[in-house]
Amino acid sequence: MNTALRTTVLRVHRWTGLTLGLLFAYVALTGLGMVFQRQLQPLLEHDLREVSSCAARLPLDTLVDGARAFHPGSRVSQIEVLGGGSGTTIVRFADKEGVYMHPCSGTVLGQQHRWGGLFGTLEQLHRLKFIDNSDVTELITGTTSIVLALVMIGGGLLVWWPPGLKALRSAATLRPHLKGRAFLLNLHRTTGLYVALVLLMSALTSMTFTFPWARQAVFSLAGSPMPPPKPALESKPAAAPMAMETLLKRALASVPDADQVMIQLPRKPLDAVEIYAVERDAPHPNARTTIYMDPYTGDVMRFEPYATSSAGNKAYRWLASLHMGQIGGVPGQLLLFAGVLGLPVLGYTGIASYLRRRFPARAEASGLKARVNRISSETPGIKVFELVSATSTPLPAVSPGAHIDVRIDEDLVRQYSLCNGPEDRDKYLIAVKREPDSRGGSRALHERVSEGDILSIGAPRNHFALAPDAPHHLLLAGGIGITPILAMARHLQADGTSFALQYFTRSVGETAFHGFLSRPELRGKVVFHYALDPHGLRLYLQRLLQERPPGAHLYVCGPRPFMDLVEETAAASWPAEAVHAEYFSADPMAFAGPRAPFEVMLALTGGTYPVPGDKTIVEALAAHGVEIQTACEQGVCGTCITGLLDGVPDHRDAYLSEAERRACDKILPCVSRARGKLLVLDL
Ligand code: FES
C-alpha cells in the first residue's frame, strides 16, 4: 500500500475510532454480560430459575392457566420448558411479560419482563431493542457491524500489518521498556492485533443474524439450499386446538433427551405451532431441532432434527453460538472477555498517542521555568549558575548524577549535570565551561544569560545514578566532568558512605570547586592531579584500577578521550556493571566511519524514506515532514530515542547501555544508522 493511501486509511481509522469507539465499547460491554449469562443467571436469578426437586410435573395447560390468572389481559405467545420439564416453566405473553411457574406445585415463582432483570436489560441494550422499530434497529446494528469490522478493525490491521514475518513477530510483542509515544503505539498495536481477531469475529458473526443476505451467504458457502418457508394449515378446522400438554408430549417423544423446549404459539389462525428443542448433549446451545405441528391435530407437519440438518443450517447456528460466546466453554468466554477488556486499552493508547503527536510540547515538556538567581565564576572559563523556581511550583527533587535539559533558545537545548548536594533542595546548580569550539550552548550561557533571566528547563533525569548498595565508590572526574561527580561526592560524604575522588585537570587555576574539595573533612578522600601527560595518565590509571576493592563501583565523567581511557583500563579488572559513565559529548565515531545510505520505514504509516550518507535519520525524516523531537543531536541525551521494530542498527550514540544495544529494539536516530538496507521505526 502506498504512503498516501496508508495515511488516509490511518486518518479514517483514527476518526472512526474516536467517534464510533464509544458505540463499539457499548455494544461489546453489553454483549459481555450476555456471554457469562449461562454461569451467572442461575446465581443472580436463583428465585426464578431454581426449582427444588420436581418428580411429577403438572400438565402444561394447568401451568399456563395459572400464569394467565397471574397476568390476565394478554395473549400467551410462547412457553419455555426448562430442564426437560423438571425445571422452571416460563410462560411469556404478547406484552413481553414472563411468568415463571414451578412445574410441580404450579406456584408462581415470579414475573419478569423479557427485557427486565440484569440479563434482559443487557440484551435489550445490546440489541437496541429500546428502539421501537425493528427495521431501524437492524439497520443500525447491521451497519455498525460492517462499519466497525471493515473500517476500524480492518483499517487498523491494514495500516499496522508489519512488512515482513520478522516484523510481525516484533509487532506482536509487548515491549514495556519503550517510553512515551513509542510505548503507547506498541501497546496499541499489540493489544489491537490480539483484540481485533476477537472483535472482528463478533462483528462478522452478528451480521449473519442481522442481514438475510448474510444468512443466505452462509448457506450458499456451505452448499446448502435455504430452508423452505414455515408450513401453514390449508384451512382452519372447526375443532378446538389441542391441549398444550399433548403438543409438548409429542415434541418430547420426537426429541426424548430434550433439555429445553420452546413452544411458539400461532399468531394467526393458519400458523403451525413452532417448537424448538435443544438436547442435553447438543454440541452448542443453538443446536436446535425444529418441529412444526398442527395445533388442532397434533400432527407433525415438518421435523428438522439438528443432527441431520443441512451444513448451512449447522454453520448458521454454530456462528450464532460463537457470537454469544457459547463455543469453546470457559476458555472461549474468557477469550471474548479479554477482547472486550482490550477496548479501553485501545481507546486510551490511541487517544493518548494521537494527543502526544498533535501536542508534543504539552505532552513531553516538563514545563519548568527557572530563574537564574546567581551566577558565579569557579575558574576563568567555568561559571556556576544557580537556578531557582520562577513559579510557585517547587523544583523536582534531585538525585546525585542527575542532569537537566536547559533550553537556551528555541532550537538550542543542552544537558547539564547538577552539582547539587543533599542540602540544595530549592535550587539547581549547574557548572558550565565555555568551550572554545562551542556549538552555541556554552557560549550562549556565558554571554547572553544574566541573573534574573528566566530559562525553560526539563525535570532532572538520571542515568548515572550511584549504585545503592555498593560499599565503596571510586569517582573519577576529568575537567568539567566534575559536575555530576561533585554531586555524588557531596551525597556520599553526607551519608558517610566510603568513597574516593580522583580529579584530573590542567592546573589549579582551571580546577572548578577546588576550594570546596580541599575542605578538611574531605582530606584523604579527594586527590587532585594536574597536567598529567597521556602516558603518565595511562600508567596512573593502570595502577589505580588494577584491583577492584570488593563490591566497589567506578564512576567516570570528563572529556571523551579521558573516559575512553578509564573504561578501557578498567575493563581488565572491573565488571561492566560496576563501571558507570556519563557522556556529554558525542562519540567521535558518531559522525565518522562508514555512512552508507539506507532506508527507514515508519511502522505507523508504512512510509519509506531514503537516508543518504550525508544525513542523519532525523534530518532525512524532517525533509519529509516527519519530526522527531531532539535536543543534543549528538546521541548523548536520549531525547530522540525511538522504538526499532526491524532491521539491524549501527548504534553510534553514547546513551544506550551495552544490554540495550544488544536488544536492538531502540535507536537514537540523531546519530545512529543502519547496518543493512532498512530500519523499521516504531513511529
Ligand atoms: Fe539527544 Fe538524539 S537528540 S540523543
Side-chain angles (χ1 to χ4, degrees):
M1 190 194 291
N2 68 39
T3 306
L5 180 57
R6 228 175 236 268
T7 307
T8 306
V9 173
L10 175 64
R11 208 166 279 156
V12 173
H13 172 83
R14 188 180 292 140
W15 283 108
T16 48
L18 283 172
T19 51
L20 294 180
L22 280 179
L23 184 57
F24 202 173
Y26 162 86
V27 173
L29 286 170
T30 50
L32 186 63
M34 293 158 62
V35 167
F36 289 96
Q37 184 168 353
R38 215 170 346 139
Q39 285 91 355
L40 296 178
Q41 200 164 38
L43 299 175
L44 299 178
E45 295 180 358
H46 184 267
D47 293 347
L48 291 179
R49 291 181 177 265
E50 273 308 294
V51 170
S52 52
S53 65
C54 176
R57 188 171 58 78
L58 290 173
L60 196 53
D61 302 79
T62 308
L63 298 176
V64 171
D65 287 346
R68 270 202 197 105
F70 190 79
H71 183 68
S74 185
R75 178 179 63 81
V76 174
S77 61
Q78 175 185 304
I79 304 159
E80 290 171 44
V81 178
L82 306 181
S86 61
T88 303
T89 296
I90 307 168
V91 181
R92 293 207 182 278
F93 291 83
D95 61 3
K96 302 266 189 266
E97 286 296 335
V99 177
Y100 292 65
M101 305 295 296
H102 192 294
C104 289
S105 67
T107 51
V108 175
L109 298 170
Q111 180 176 346
Q112 187 164 277
H113 193 274
R114 171 73 179 87
W115 308 128
L118 176 65
F119 299 103
T121 306
L122 285 174
E123 188 178 347
Q124 183 194 33
L125 294 173
H126 184 74
R127 296 171 61 189
L128 306 182
K129 284 293 181 185
F130 48 85
I131 299 174
D132 211 13
N133 184 327
S134 61
D135 289 344
V136 174
T137 308
E138 282 183 11
L139 185 70
I140 293 176
T141 52
T143 307
T144 302
S145 301
I146 289 177
V147 169
L148 293 177
L150 298 185
V151 178
M152 274 194 68
I153 304 171
L157 288 175
L158 206 61
V159 167
W160 280 298
W161 198 255
L165 251 191
K166 189 178 167 205
L168 175 61
R169 200 175 326 123
S170 175
T173 305
L174 185 63
R175 283 170 294 147
H177 57 270
L178 290 179
K179 296 225 165 48
R181 190 161 173 259
F183 173 72
L184 289 171
L185 286 174
N186 174 254
L187 184 57
H188 190 77
R189 186 176 40 239
T190 46
T191 311
L193 275 174
Y194 296 129
V195 166
L197 296 175
V198 175
L199 298 186
L200 197 60
M201 176 275 293
S202 289
L204 292 177
T205 49
S206 78
M207 288 167 60
T208 59
F209 43 87
T210 304
F211 293 114
W213 60 261
R215 185 179 177 215
Q216 208 161 356
V218 172
F219 275 79
S220 301
L221 285 173
S224 308
M226 286 294 283
K230 294 175 188 173
L233 307 185
E234 282 173 6
S235 61
K236 182 173 181 280
M242 298 199 71
M244 281 180 250
E245 177 64 21
T246 310
L247 299 178
L248 174 62
K249 278 191 174 140
R250 291 196 179 173
L252 290 174
S254 304
V255 190
D257 198 27
D259 182 47
Q260 290 177 33
V261 178
M262 186 190 291
I263 304 172
Q264 300 265 26
L265 297 179
R267 278 202 201 156
K268 297 186 212 129
L270 296 183
D271 281 352
V273 178
E274 210 171 325
I275 302 176
Y276 303 119
V278 180
E279 290 175 280
R280 267 177 234 283
D281 60 352
H284 58 87
N286 269 296
R288 290 173 166 185
T289 290
T290 309
I291 308 164
Y292 293 99
M293 244 180 236
D294 183 327
Y296 300 97
T297 63
D299 291 342
V300 173
M301 300 169 73
R302 199 159 82 212
F303 180 48
E304 297 170 354
Y306 177 79
T308 56
S309 67
S310 69
N313 181 58
K314 283 183 179 161
Y316 172 69
R317 298 276 168 209
W318 190 87
L319 287 172
S321 286
L322 182 65
H323 178 79
M324 294 170 197
Q326 294 167 336
I327 299 285
V330 173
Q333 290 173 300
L334 291 177
L335 189 68
L336 281 185
F337 184 60
V340 174
L341 279 192
L343 278 175
V345 178
L346 286 179
Y348 168 74
T349 50
I351 292 170
S353 147
Y354 171 74
L355 291 177
R356 280 189 180 224
R357 191 181 75 90
R358 198 84 174 74
F359 309 105
R362 263 180 248 178
E364 307 284 357
S366 70
L368 295 178
K369 291 281 178 212
R371 183 167 50 79
V372 181
N373 194 42
R374 212 163 85 85
I375 301 176
S376 56
S377 290
E378 267 297 318
T379 71
I382 297 176
K383 282 184 176 180
V384 174
F385 295 78
E386 181 184 297
L387 309 177
V388 295
S389 175
T391 65
S392 54
T393 311
L395 295 173
V398 175
S399 58
H403 70 270
I404 54 170
D405 289 348
V406 177
R407 182 173 290 279
I408 300 154
D409 270 337
E410 197 44 44
D411 295 323
L412 196 57
V413 179
R414 292 289 179 264
Q415 292 69 46
Y416 295 102
S417 285
L418 295 165
C419 318
N420 286 42
E423 69 279 13
D424 300 321
R425 296 217 173 83
D426 54 355
K427 59 188 170 195
Y428 290 162
L429 296 170
I430 57 172
V432 181
K433 180 181 180 191
R434 182 179 174 136
E435 301 287 356
D437 53 352
S438 163
R439 292 186 305 132
S442 67
R443 189 169 60 222
L445 274 172
H446 272 251
E447 292 177 2
R448 301 208 318 253
V449 173
S450 314
E451 289 180 359
D453 284 356
I454 305 293
L455 297 174
S456 288
I457 61 172
R461 287 183 286 165
N462 196 346
H463 45 85
F464 188 49
L466 287 166
D469 301 321
H472 179 73
H473 303 265
L474 177 56
L475 315 176
L476 302 189
I480 192 61
I482 188 63
T483 49
I485 297 289
L486 178 66
M488 290 175 158
R490 294 176 70 185
H491 277 79
L492 292 169
Q493 175 71 7
D495 287 352
T497 307
S498 169
F499 77 94
L501 195 169
Q502 304 270 341
Y503 188 6
F504 301 82
T505 56
R506 290 205 186 114
S507 65
V508 182
E510 291 174 85
T511 303
F513 308 107
H514 186 271
F516 180 88
L517 291 169
S518 303
R519 287 179 175 184
E521 63 267 28
L522 293 175
R523 194 162 299 142
K525 295 183 177 174
V526 180
V527 180
F528 296 97
H529 304 269
Y530 305 115
L532 276 186
D533 60 47
H535 181 66
L537 177 63
R538 181 180 292 275
L539 289 179
Y540 181 79
L541 289 175
Q542 281 169 353
R543 276 200 309 277
L544 179 71
L545 301 176
Q546 71 184 357
E547 265 184 41
R548 179 196 180 203
H553 277 243
L554 171 66
Y555 307 82
V556 57
C557 186
R560 188 87 201 197
F562 169 75
M563 295 180 69
D564 288 347
L565 182 58
V566 169
E567 288 193 280
E568 189 188 305
T569 311
S573 30
W574 293 67
E577 63 273 14
V579 179
H580 310 267
E582 176 78 325
Y583 290 93
F584 278 97
S585 63
D587 183 335
M589 289 307 289
F591 301 100
R595 295 176 64 86
F598 57 99
E599 288 188 324
V600 286
M601 175 186 276
L602 307 189
L604 191 61
T605 61
T608 305
Y609 307 97
V611 182
D614 61 346
K615 284 205 168 24
T616 64
I617 296 175
V618 168
E619 289 166 341
L621 289 180
H624 292 90
V626 181
E627 299 288 341
I628 296 179
Q629 199 180 358
T630 60
C632 71
E633 298 187 351
Q634 294 189 81
V636 294
C637 72
T639 305
C640 65
I641 193 163
T642 302
L644 180 66
L645 299 180
D646 201 11
V648 183
D650 175 7
H651 291 295
R652 298 187 177 202
D653 62 277
Y655 181 85
L656 296 178
S657 67
E658 260 321 301
E660 287 172 320
R661 284 163 184 251
R662 278 197 302 274
C664 277
D665 58 5
K666 39 190 169 319
I667 189 169
L668 280 302
C670 67
V671 288
S672 296
R673 305 185 66 80
R675 288 197 191 281
K677 294 264 177 260
L678 178 73
L679 294 178
V680 181
L681 301 183
D682 200 355
L683 287 174

